[in-house]
Each structure stands twice: as C-alpha cells, then as structure tokens.
Coordinates of all heavy atoms in Angstrom, one line a residue:
L1 N 0.8 -1.2 0.0 CA 0.0 0.0 0.0 C 0.9 1.2 0.0 O 1.9 1.3 0.7 CB -0.9 0.0 1.2 CG -2.3 -0.7 1.1 CD1 -2.0 -2.2 0.8 CD2 -3.1 -0.6 2.3
G2 N 0.5 2.2 -0.8 CA 1.3 3.4 -0.9 C 2.3 3.4 -2.1 O 3.0 4.4 -2.4
A3 N 2.4 2.2 -2.7 CA 3.4 2.1 -3.8 C 2.6 2.0 -5.2 O 1.4 1.7 -5.2 CB 4.1 0.8 -3.7
P4 N 3.2 2.4 -6.3 CA 2.6 2.3 -7.6 C 2.1 0.9 -7.9 O 2.8 -0.1 -7.6 CB 3.6 2.8 -8.5 CG 4.6 3.6 -7.7 CD 4.6 2.9 -6.4
V5 N 0.9 0.8 -8.5 CA 0.4 -0.5 -8.9 C 1.4 -1.2 -9.9 O 1.4 -2.4 -10.0 CB -1.0 -0.4 -9.4 CG1 -1.0 0.3 -10.7 CG2 -1.6 -1.8 -9.5
T6 N 2.1 -0.4 -10.6 CA 3.0 -0.9 -11.6 C 4.2 -1.6 -10.9 O 5.0 -2.3 -11.6 CB 3.6 0.2 -12.5 OG1 4.0 1.3 -11.8 CG2 2.4 0.6 -13.5
D7 N 4.4 -1.5 -9.6 CA 5.4 -2.2 -8.9 C 5.1 -3.7 -8.8 O 6.0 -4.5 -8.5 CB 5.6 -1.7 -7.5 CG 6.4 -0.4 -7.5 OD1 6.8 0.1 -8.6 OD2 6.7 0.2 -6.4
I8 N 3.8 -4.1 -9.0 CA 3.5 -5.5 -8.9 C 4.1 -6.2 -10.1 O 3.9 -5.8 -11.3 CB 2.0 -5.7 -9.0 CG1 1.3 -5.1 -7.8 CG2 1.6 -7.2 -9.0 CD1 -0.2 -5.1 -7.8
P9 N 4.9 -7.2 -9.9 CA 5.7 -7.9 -11.0 C 4.7 -8.6 -11.9 O 4.2 -9.7 -11.6 CB 6.7 -8.8 -10.3 CG 6.0 -9.1 -9.0 CD 5.3 -7.8 -8.6
E10 N 4.6 -8.2 -13.1 CA 3.6 -8.8 -14.1 C 4.0 -10.1 -14.5 O 3.2 -10.9 -14.9 CB 3.4 -7.8 -15.3 CG 2.8 -6.5 -14.9 CD 2.7 -5.5 -16.0 OE1 3.3 -5.8 -17.1 OE2 2.2 -4.4 -15.8
M11 N 5.3 -10.5 -14.4 CA 5.7 -11.8 -14.8 C 5.3 -12.9 -13.8 O 5.4 -14.1 -14.0 CB 7.3 -11.8 -15.0 CG 7.8 -11.0 -16.1 SD 7.1 -11.7 -17.7 CE 8.0 -13.2 -17.8
E12 N 4.9 -12.4 -12.6 CA 4.6 -13.3 -11.5 C 3.1 -13.5 -11.3 O 2.6 -14.3 -10.5 CB 5.1 -12.8 -10.2 CG 6.6 -12.6 -10.2 CD 7.4 -13.9 -10.3 OE1 6.8 -15.0 -10.1 OE2 8.6 -13.9 -10.6
V13 N 2.3 -12.8 -12.1 CA 0.8 -12.9 -12.0 C 0.2 -13.1 -13.4 O 0.9 -13.0 -14.4 CB 0.2 -11.7 -11.3 CG1 0.8 -11.5 -10.0 CG2 0.4 -10.4 -12.2
V14 N -1.1 -13.4 -13.4 CA -1.8 -13.6 -14.7 C -3.2 -12.9 -14.6 O -3.6 -12.5 -13.6 CB -2.0 -15.1 -15.0 CG1 -0.7 -15.8 -15.2 CG2 -2.8 -15.8 -13.9
D15 N -3.8 -12.8 -15.8 CA -5.2 -12.3 -15.9 C -5.4 -10.9 -15.3 O -6.4 -10.7 -14.6 CB -6.2 -13.3 -15.2 CG -6.1 -14.6 -15.9 OD1 -5.8 -14.7 -17.1 OD2 -6.5 -15.6 -15.2
I16 N -4.5 -10.0 -15.5 CA -4.7 -8.6 -15.0 C -6.0 -8.0 -15.7 O -6.1 -8.0 -16.9 CB -3.5 -7.7 -15.4 CG1 -2.2 -8.4 -14.8 CG2 -3.7 -6.3 -14.8 CD1 -0.9 -7.7 -15.2
S17 N -6.9 -7.5 -14.9 CA -8.2 -7.1 -15.4 C -8.8 -6.1 -14.5 O -8.4 -5.9 -13.4 CB -9.2 -8.3 -15.6 OG -8.6 -9.4 -16.3
C18 N -9.9 -5.5 -14.9 CA -10.8 -4.7 -14.0 C -11.5 -5.7 -13.2 O -12.0 -6.7 -13.7 CB -11.7 -3.8 -14.8 SG -10.9 -2.6 -15.8
G19 N -11.6 -5.4 -11.9 CA -12.4 -6.2 -11.0 C -13.9 -6.0 -11.0 O -14.3 -4.9 -11.5
T20 N -14.6 -6.9 -10.4 CA -16.1 -6.8 -10.3 C -16.6 -7.0 -8.9 O -17.6 -7.7 -8.7 CB -16.7 -7.8 -11.3 OG1 -16.3 -9.1 -11.0 CG2 -16.4 -7.4 -12.8
N21 N -15.8 -6.6 -7.9 CA -16.3 -6.7 -6.5 C -16.5 -8.1 -6.1 O -17.5 -8.4 -5.5 CB -17.5 -5.8 -6.3 CG -17.7 -5.5 -4.8 OD1 -16.8 -5.6 -4.0 ND2 -18.9 -5.1 -4.5
G22 N -15.5 -9.0 -6.4 CA -15.6 -10.3 -6.0 C -16.1 -11.3 -7.0 O -16.0 -12.5 -6.9
G23 N -16.6 -10.8 -8.1 CA -17.0 -11.6 -9.2 C -15.9 -11.9 -10.2 O -14.7 -11.6 -9.9
P24 N -16.2 -12.5 -11.3 CA -15.1 -12.8 -12.3 C -14.6 -11.5 -12.9 O -15.2 -10.5 -12.9 CB -15.9 -13.6 -13.4 CG -17.3 -13.2 -13.2 CD -17.5 -12.9 -11.8
P25 N -13.3 -11.6 -13.4 CA -12.7 -10.4 -14.0 C -13.5 -9.9 -15.2 O -14.2 -10.6 -15.9 CB -11.3 -10.8 -14.4 CG -11.5 -12.3 -14.6 CD -12.5 -12.7 -13.6
S26 N -13.4 -8.5 -15.5 CA -14.1 -8.0 -16.6 C -13.1 -7.5 -17.7 O -12.5 -8.4 -18.3 CB -15.0 -6.8 -16.2 OG -14.3 -5.8 -15.6
T27 N -13.0 -6.3 -17.9 CA -12.1 -5.8 -19.0 C -10.6 -6.2 -18.8 O -10.0 -5.8 -17.8 CB -12.2 -4.2 -19.1 OG1 -13.5 -3.8 -19.2 CG2 -11.3 -3.7 -20.2
P28 N -10.1 -6.9 -19.7 CA -8.7 -7.3 -19.6 C -7.7 -6.1 -19.8 O -8.0 -5.2 -20.5 CB -8.5 -8.3 -20.8 CG -9.9 -8.7 -21.2 CD -10.7 -7.5 -20.9
L29 N -6.7 -6.1 -19.0 CA -5.6 -5.1 -19.1 C -4.3 -5.7 -19.6 O -4.0 -6.8 -19.1 CB -5.4 -4.4 -17.8 CG -6.7 -3.8 -17.1 CD1 -6.3 -3.2 -15.8 CD2 -7.3 -2.8 -18.0

C-alpha cells in the first residue's frame, strides 16, 4: 500500500483485469 500498482511484478501474475467486486474479471488489461 502506498506504492505504484506498476510495482506488482507482471511476470509473477496472470489475468490482469478490471475487478467486479468479488465476481469474475471484466475488462482485460
């Protein structure tokens, strides 16, 4: 918290998307 979201290592995660408040992901990023 307090760090840029771009600090999250994209090589370590998948399916970056807009969230839906606990539901499935929506718009892919």
Side-chain angles (χ1 to χ4, degrees):
L1 273 63
V5 68
T6 51
D7 282 0
I8 298 176
E10 293 173 358
M11 294 296 293
E12 302 293 344
V13 301
V14 295
D15 299 337
I16 305 170
S17 310
C18 297
T20 57
N21 199 16
S26 60
T27 305
L29 305 178

